[in-house]
Each structure stands twice: as structure tokens, then as C-alpha cells.
Amino acid sequence: MMEKLKIGISIGDVNGIGLEIIIKTLADSKIFDYCTPIVYGHTKVASFYRRATEVNELNFNVINEASQALPKRANMINCWNEDVKIEPGVFNKEIGKYAFLSLERATNDLLAGNIDALVTAPINKDTIQSEEFNFPGHTEYLQHRGNAADSLMFLVSDTLRVGVVTGHIPIAKVSESITTEKILSKLRLMDASLRTDFCVRKPKIAVLGLNPHASDNGLIGNEEADTITPAIEEARSNDILAMGPYAADGFFANGTYLQFDAVLAMYHDQGLIPFKQIAFESGVNFTAGLSFVRTSPDHGTAFDIAGKNKASEISFREALFAAIHIVKHRRETAELNEHPLAFTKLSRDRD
């Protein structure tokens, strides 16, 4: 039996599918064998979505502090006092503040060590904007809160792991934002995460080109020769097994990604479109490079189906278990660093 971890859960946009997928996940009591979930939201909002999803058997244990969480229950911390007008599927700038209140309280507990990891339900990146939250998304906010110099948006599944050099920026700014130093930074984060968070002993990383056909030897742009290839060569000189640059279309179409432990894409859609096509229901968004563990499902608020009991909880459930496994792997790696002689047996068992 694994050690029970306290996993914090932020609810995302109140009018999205966040609480639907949270409730459907926690309705399976087997979850409590692996973790003690603590949802940061409000019981009245949860009750609305319990009725919408027809999950009547799930009752939240209301607590004031994470330390009060019961290990065999779904726990809830109320993050505000006022009543909220819930309108599933409605874009509402006023309601975005509740997504922030949930995220802020959960992040505070995460940084204080009151919970072991954070799983975030989808926010709407527009409605959540305020003086307190002026970030493109979760990744940038959590990097800021964790005082990390850099982070990596890392989409992971059983068959594919994809990170991106540039995240939530306009496509017109991608080329100017890609530098050899930035690619190197992401490769270092990816290599370290594969070793520590996923227990890959000798990570093999594919690097995609930016231009069609990876520029065809300079016929379609010079980023590959001037920026990407030097980063790959520098990474290899630092014992990071990076290869490429590969043309993205053929790389995914012919299954070359299966030969690698992870793929570094140059921009958001280059990596996320194939990832979601290949692993949409089981995919997880993990923020690598932080001192704490944060995961989320690999989809958005899905306003079009919110409140209709149509949302699948599979990706959220995978995100919950991914958070548990990554925390375990980090602690295991820390123990191995303290007791290196144990590494030989563990490696032999895994091989």
C-alpha cells in the first residue's frame, strides 16, 4: 500500500466542467486508497454540480485547514463566503475571481507544505484576469509563485511526452522568442524531469524544427541551423541525449516519437495538436521544473458541454494519479541520492 498523500484540487472556472470532472473522479471510493483529496472551492457550488452529474453518493467533508482532512473522504475547504450565481457554459468575467480564490488558497497550502501536490481543473484564461492574476495561464502563475527561473509545460501520457519551448504567446512572436539559450534551458528541465519525476535513467529526447521540413537545409528559414542545432550540440556536450531537429509532420505521422522518451516542440500548437490527437483522453499537463508538483487535465473549460453531464473525467483522473506518482518518484530519487548503494538493486528491478 502506497503512503497516503494529501492532494489539493483547485476547481477552475465555476461555469466550466471543472467540478463535474472532480466529482466524477472522487465518486470512485478507490481513489481514497491512494490519496486524501482536498478540494478548494465551495460546498454550494459542489452541490449544484453533484445534482447535475447525478452523483448523489458523494458527500464532502467540510474543513477549515488541510490538516483536518479525513483520509477516507473527499474533503472541501470553502474559499469564499458569498453565494455564486452558477451558469454552466456562460462566459462571465465576474465569476473568474472564484477560480483565482480557489487557486490562490490551494497554492498557498502547497507552498506551505500543507498538501503534497496540486491538481488544477481548467480555468478560462480571460475571465480569471485581475490585478492579482496577470498571467497567460496556470504555468506562468505557478512559476511566479514558486520563484522558479524557468519551467516547462510538459504534456505526458503512457506513449508520448511533449514539452514546448514557447507557451502561451502569439504565433507571430514565436520565431523571435526562440533562442539557443531558451532551448537549452528547456532541454535541461526536460532531462532532469525525466530522470527525477519519471525515473528514466538515460533519457532520449527528440527536438523538433521550427520551419516546414525542418527548413530543408536552409531553403525554408535559418532557425534550425542558427539556433536549434547549436542548442542540440551544446546539450549533447553536457550529457543530454538530444537529437534532431526533426520535421514535425513526418515525425508524428510515421511514429518516430515512439523511439524517444520525450519530444521538445518549438511552440504550443506544434506539440499540443499531435499530443491531443494521440493521447487526448489520457493526457496530463505537468509543470516541470518547479520545486512542487502540479498537474492538470490536458483540456480546457469546455463551456459547450458544461453542466450537461457529458464531460469525461478520464484526463482529470490521470492527472490525479500522475501527481501521486511524481511525488513518489521525487521522494524515491531523493532517498537514492542519500543512499546511492540502493540504486543498483532498484535499477536492476526496473530493467
Side-chain angles (χ1 to χ4, degrees), residues 3 21 36 43 58 75 85 124 147 156 177 195 202 204 213 238 240 243 245 249 263-264 281 296 299 313 345:
E3 176 192 353
I21 57 178
T36 299
T43 48
L58 177 66
N75 300 276
K85 184 181 180 182
N124 181 284
N147 293 316
V156 300
S177 299
R195 294 174 186 272
K202 298 177 181 178
K204 187 177 177 183
H213 308 293
N238 285 278
I240 297 174
M243 303 178 69
D249 53 355
V263 181
L264 183 65
E281 281 208 331
S296 74
H299 56 72
E313 74 277 16
K345 180 179 183 303

Side-chain angles (χ1 to χ4, degrees), residues 103-337:
L103 177 62
E104 180 185 44
R105 179 71 184 273
T107 304
N108 289 345
D109 273 354
L110 183 65
L111 293 172
N114 298 327
I115 56 178
D116 296 294
L118 172 62
V119 183
T120 59
I123 58 172
N124 181 284
K125 295 177 177 61
D126 190 353
T127 64
I128 197 173
Q129 296 299 319
S130 66
E131 291 184 2
E132 293 83 8
F133 189 100
N134 185 22
F135 301 91
H138 276 120
T139 301
E140 296 82 3
Y141 171 77
L142 291 168
Q143 178 182 329
H144 170 74
R145 289 296 310 273
N147 293 316
D150 197 5
S151 66
L152 176 72
M153 184 190 298
F154 207 6
L155 282 293
V156 300
S157 73
D158 289 340
T159 57
L160 177 61
R161 303 183 186 101
V162 177
V164 294
V165 176
T166 59
H168 299 115
I169 65 172
I171 197 74
K173 295 184 178 180
V174 168
S175 179
E176 66 186 55
S177 299
I178 293 175
T179 65
T180 297
E181 291 72 22
K182 182 172 286 188
I183 295 171
L184 267 171
S185 177
K186 301 301 183 182
L187 283 171
R188 292 189 186 104
L189 290 173
M190 182 175 282
D191 183 74
S193 179
L194 288 167
R195 294 174 186 272
T196 301
D197 301 327
F198 299 95
C199 295
V200 180
R201 289 183 58 199
K202 298 177 181 178
K204 187 177 177 183
I205 300 171
V207 181
L208 301 182
L210 173 66
N211 297 295
H213 308 293
S215 86
D216 268 345
N217 293 319
L219 293 175
I220 318 173
N222 56 13
E223 287 87 352
E224 282 73 16
D226 294 347
T227 305
I228 301 173
T229 296
I232 294 171
E233 292 173 349
E234 179 69 17
R236 291 176 70 90
S237 71
N238 285 278
D239 296 323
I240 297 174
L241 186 53
M243 303 178 69
Y246 293 96
D249 53 355
F251 180 85
F252 289 107
N254 62 24
T256 305
Y257 67 88
L258 294 170
Q259 301 172 21
F260 293 88
D261 297 298
V263 181
L264 183 65
M266 291 298 110
Y267 59 95
H268 184 280
D269 284 10
Q270 185 189 50
L272 269 66
I273 288 175
F275 181 86
K276 292 187 177 185
Q277 181 68 29
I278 293 166
F280 182 66
E281 281 208 331
S282 61
V284 173
N285 183 1
F286 166 54
T287 307
L290 304 182
S291 61
F292 49 80
V293 174
R294 173 262 173 167
T295 64
S296 74
D298 70 342
H299 56 72
T301 53
F303 281 155
D304 56 324
I305 60 171
K308 298 178 181 179
N309 200 15
K310 293 182 178 180
S312 170
E313 74 277 16
I314 294 175
S315 181
F316 185 87
R317 185 173 64 235
E318 291 294 322
L320 181 63
F321 279 112
I324 295 169
H325 292 317
I326 292 169
V327 171
K328 297 287 186 181
H329 291 161
R330 286 191 177 187
R331 293 181 179 180
E332 187 177 79
T333 301
E335 290 177 4
L336 288 173
N337 289 336

